[in-house]
Structure formats: C-alpha cells, structure tokens
Amino acid sequence: MATNDTNLQAVTLPREWSAQSWRARPATQMPQYPDAAEFESALAELRRLPPLVTSWEILSLKQQLADAQEGKRFLLQGGDCAESFDECSSDVISNRLKVLLQMSLVLVHGMRKPVVRVGRFAGQYAKPRSADMETIDGVSLPSYRGDIVNGPAFTAEARRPDPRRMIKAHARSAMTMNFVRALIDGGFADLHHPEYWDLGWVGHSPLADEYRRMVAAIGDAVRFMETLSGAEVHNLNRVDFYTSHEGLLLPYEEALTRQVPRNWGWFDLSTHFPWIGMRTAQIDGAHVEFLRGIRNPIAVKIGPSVTPDMLLKLVDVLNPEDEAGRLTFIHRMGASQIAAKLPPLLDAIRRDGRRVLWVCDPMHGNTESTANGYKTRRFANIAGEVEQAFDLHAAAGTRLGGVHLELTGEDVTECLGGARELTETDLERAYRSCVDPRLNYEQALEIAMLIVRKQTQISAPL
Ligand code: PEP
Ligand code: CO
C-alpha cells in the first residue's frame, strides 16, 4: 500500500482527522497486497458488514477504565498472543473465558474491588513482525503476519497476503463474540454456580485447594446476603466482558470505523478497546494518527526504549482534552529493566498531571529462547515484573491499575516454572502457540493470586 507520504504536518498544529487520514502517514507493519482490485473489493464488502460492538458498550468500558484510573476498579486484560482461525472452537473459547472468570473471581475477592474484564480475543488476528521476509534454506517468503493477513505454513501460497482473510477474521470475531455473549447471558458467569467454570484438569492442581476455599467463601457470602435480604441478590448472574485487539491492520480498522445515530464522533466498531504496540507508536505514524480520532478507549504498549518526552507527546496527541478513561499505557519492560526504565516515565506523567491508566504486561519483556529452540518465558520473571510494578508505582505515587497477560485455558506447556515447575523438557509436551508463549490455566491463576497478595501488602504496609 502506498502510505509513505513524507509531507507531514507538525503534530502540534490542529489537524483534520478522518478514518482515512492515516493513509497520508508512514504506516509500518503493513502487508503488501499483490492484487489491488481484490483488496478494494474486500474492503468494500467489510464496509457493508455489521459492526462487532456498539458505541454504548465502548462508552461504558471507557467509564470503567476511568474508574480504574481512580483506583475504584482493576483491569484484567488477557487472552492469546494471536488467535487463529482454526482455534475458533467451542472448547478454546469457553476454556479461555473460564480462566478469565476464575482469575477475576480471585481478584474481586482478594482486592475487594470490581474487575474490568477485557479479553484479548474476538479479533486478535494481526501480528507485528521484526522482518518483512523470512528466509529458510535460501528461500525467502513474506513473514507470517497473523491469520487476518496470511497463513503460518512456509509456502508461497500460504504466505501470500490475502485480503479475503479480513472478511474471514470479521466472521470469526463475530462467532467468538456471539458465543461469549450467549454464554454470559445464559448464566455461565453466575456467582451462584462457579462450578460452571471449573476446568476438568484443575482437580489435580496444587492451587485447587486455595481456589476452592475462595469459591466456598464467596458462596457463603452470597447465601448470607440472600438470607439477610430475603431475596436473590441480582446482578450476580451476569458480568460485563469487553474485547480488545492490537489495532495493527489499519485498512480493516478503517472499514469498521463508523458514525452512529445517537453518539457524536467516530467509533472503531471492530472492538471495544484497540491498542497499538511499540513498533507502531511513532508520533507521526499512521497508527497514532488513526487512534487519535476514534472515540474508543485506546492503549499504547511501551517498552524500555520509550523516553519521558515521547510519552508526553503521545499523551498530547492521543488525549489532548485529558479525558478520563481515554488513554492506557501498558508497560512491558522486562523483569530486569523495569526498575531502571519505568520510574522516569511515571514521574514525567505524574508531574504533568495528566490522566492515564497504567497497566503492566509482564509477558513481552521476558521472552527468551531455550537451548532446545523454544520461545518461552519464565514464570519467575513474569511474577517478578508484576511485583516490581506494584512497588515502583507505590514509590512513584502512581497507581498500577491493571495487568495485560497472554494466557489460554488449554493445558499447554509454553512458559517455564509455576506451581508445577515446568522445565525445558516439559515444553515439548504441549507447546501449541505459533507466536508467543502463553500462561496455562494454572500459571494464570497463580498470577491472579500473586497480584492479590502483592496488592494487599502495598495497601497495608507493615
Ligand atoms: C503482543 O501484545 O503480542 C505484542 C506483540 O506486544 P508488544 O507490541 O508489546 O511487543
Ligand atoms: Co505476544
């Protein structure tokens, strides 16, 4: 796509925005579609298809994120690194939902505050890559950029960017959303029946006892309230669930960006909460330009190379009115760098007095390769980064308002360590991710328990 226009305006000048204005800016991480007519026809079809979420839902999430900024809620955002079309299945979707519900139960119970639940699903199909091409045995093909762009197999056929995949991604996202909504509306998340979300293999888990004690305590509390009031406690059978994905493939996001009858402005209706990664967070770049004009709450991932100055510029461009709930920064520094890199950023934003929600992604700064060739993450580093994040925010006078995790409800062996102490040889048993390693059910629950312990310690220091 022709997106390299060097005739940029200064970001400090007020500028017109449209759902297409990103096209005049340098757009990194975009696939090169070989057939322009095929590409345009897929976009025309997408523009006619119904949206995946509504503006009311988007605005209610923004309000919940505003509450999280004030410490009244805690954000739990999690799901696969990348969804795949093949794994759009009943088990994968419901197991992932179960883990997120269990984690949120642990957090609500332990932190005594409501949790904002946001899935990294129903649209998490586009991946940034460090190189445009991949070379194996002298053969070079376009890199795999997620199922919305091309296929993972190393063949010319699979790696050809196919615009029809955007239509399929929209359909798979809709199926995922539909199933999640139906489960939740049907009482799947009912606090009277937490056994609905038990996962078969949990029975053998070293964490099972602690989890079951918590569930029993909540059950007692619910029954006590109901006995006291003589009626069923309502609102315990439903929860809000929101979706998020990386807003990477801008033509797709643009096609789903719409105006709606009863709310002003433009909404990206492909998801409630799009984020952009470090690789696309250039202040004059296409992705920042796109995010700038939509009314959704938005997030930017920030890594060790971000400076306070860059961060303040992002705040100016992405949230010039200092709107509550609008802007989230997801820091992903790595356990070994967070102590050096995060505090100057926290200080800069605090001194500036601007509203942001701070969220810790303890996954992406802690990726490493094992001797036997697996991309993995050590549980101890993930846990260590979360713990340090709580301490560093407390020391800086800012607030850690949530976590962003890559996890799955499947019994995979992709991250090392945890209660079952997975080792390098265990990785071979059930390594299924074709991108980043995810926490399995048990490791995810363990992180939730750790957050509770840490947060309790911070709010009641000895
Ligand atoms: C991701 O969230 O999967 C990702 C690629 O993250 P980051 O942009 O933080 O590297
Ligand atoms: Co990832």
Side-chain angles (χ1 to χ4, degrees), residues 81 120 127 364 377 406 436:
C81 180
R120 242 184 101 109
K127 295 308 298 171
H364 287 88
R377 291 161 174 157
E406 286 185 345
D436 288 340

Side-chain angles (χ1 to χ4, degrees), residues 300-327:
V300 183
K301 296 264 210 107
I302 54 172
S305 63
V306 169
T307 62
D309 188 49
M310 284 158 74
L311 210 60
L312 292 171
K313 284 200 176 110
L314 281 170
V315 176
D316 280 343
V317 171
L318 294 174
N319 194 17
E321 312 287 336
D322 197 31
E323 185 193 1
R326 159 75 175 165
L327 183 59

Side-chain angles (χ1 to χ4, degrees), residues 5-265:
D5 185 343
T6 48
N7 183 20
L8 302 177
Q9 300 170 32
V11 290
T12 44
L13 296 177
R15 295 189 315 255
E16 288 294 307
W17 181 92
S18 77
Q20 296 82 37
S21 56
W22 64 269
R23 290 175 179 242
R25 310 229 142 207
T28 49
Q29 297 287 339
M30 290 291 153
Q32 302 292 326
Y33 289 103
D35 184 332
E38 202 185 28
F39 175 62
E40 287 307 328
S41 114
L43 288 183
E45 185 171 340
L46 263 182
R47 278 186 215 108
R48 286 192 304 271
L49 289 172
L52 296 168
V53 301
T54 66
S55 60
W56 301 292
E57 293 167 341
I58 289 174
L59 294 177
S60 78
L61 173 61
K62 203 190 254 181
Q63 182 52 54
Q64 293 198 13
L65 295 172
D67 291 347
Q69 284 173 340
E70 290 179 15
K72 296 184 198 144
R73 290 177 186 265
F74 191 78
L75 172 70
L76 171 64
Q77 185 177 19
D80 283 309
C81 180
E83 290 177 278
S84 80
F85 290 166
D86 284 349
E87 290 204 335
C88 181
S89 67
S90 164
D91 281 0
V92 170
I93 297 169
S94 56
N95 286 347
R96 190 173 45 213
L97 195 62
K98 286 175 183 178
V99 175
L100 288 166
L101 284 170
Q102 292 193 346
M103 290 177 79
S104 72
L105 188 74
V106 169
L107 294 174
V108 169
H109 179 254
M111 297 177 110
R112 316 248 165 233
K113 61 172 88 163
V115 167
V116 190
R117 300 169 192 83
V118 177
R120 242 184 101 109
F121 57 54
Q124 176 51 18
Y125 290 116
K127 295 308 298 171
R129 300 317 299 258
S130 44
D132 281 346
M133 302 296 283
E134 184 179 351
T135 304
I136 298 182
D137 295 336
V139 180
S140 291
L141 293 173
S143 296
Y144 170 59
R145 292 188 169 276
D147 278 8
I148 196 170
V149 173
N150 55 5
F154 194 73
T155 64
E157 170 69 11
R159 291 294 174 88
R160 176 184 183 273
D162 176 0
R164 299 297 306 168
R165 283 176 167 269
M166 291 191 282
I167 310 289
K168 194 162 175 182
H170 176 272
R172 298 277 151 138
S173 303
M175 290 174 214
T176 306
M177 283 292 288
N178 181 57
F179 189 43
V180 169
R181 289 188 198 277
L183 283 171
I184 285 175
D185 287 345
F188 187 73
D190 191 339
L191 263 188
H192 297 90
H193 296 283
E195 73 278 7
Y196 289 175
W197 355 312
D198 249 348
L199 286 147
W201 54 284
V202 177
H204 318 285
S205 168
L207 304 176
D209 284 350
E210 189 172 349
Y211 178 70
R212 296 246 154 80
R213 267 198 304 278
M214 213 171 287
V215 169
I218 291 168
D220 285 348
V222 169
R223 277 185 295 279
F224 175 72
M225 288 285 290
E226 290 183 342
T227 312
L228 204 66
S229 65
E232 267 214 14
V233 180
H234 292 292
N235 279 332
L236 289 182
N237 47 5
R238 275 209 89 258
V239 294
D240 290 332
F241 230 106
Y242 297 97
T243 63
S244 65
H245 64 242
E246 178 164 356
L248 187 64
L249 188 60
L250 293 178
Y252 176 83
E253 304 300 331
E254 176 197 311
L256 287 158
T257 296
R258 318 258 169 98
Q259 284 180 300
V260 298
R262 266 175 266 284
N263 277 313
W264 64 269

Side-chain angles (χ1 to χ4, degrees), residues 350-388:
R350 190 184 36 76
R351 274 201 305 272
D352 204 45
R354 307 293 276 275
R355 256 190 286 230
V356 304
L357 177 64
W358 292 107
V359 169
C360 175
D361 165 358
M363 313 297 294
H364 287 88
N366 292 312
T367 315
E368 57 185 277
S369 290
T370 62
N372 49 356
Y374 286 99
K375 197 171 170 188
T376 192
R377 291 161 174 157
R378 289 173 199 278
F379 185 86
N381 290 338
I382 297 169
E385 184 163 352
V386 174
E387 288 182 328
Q388 289 182 71

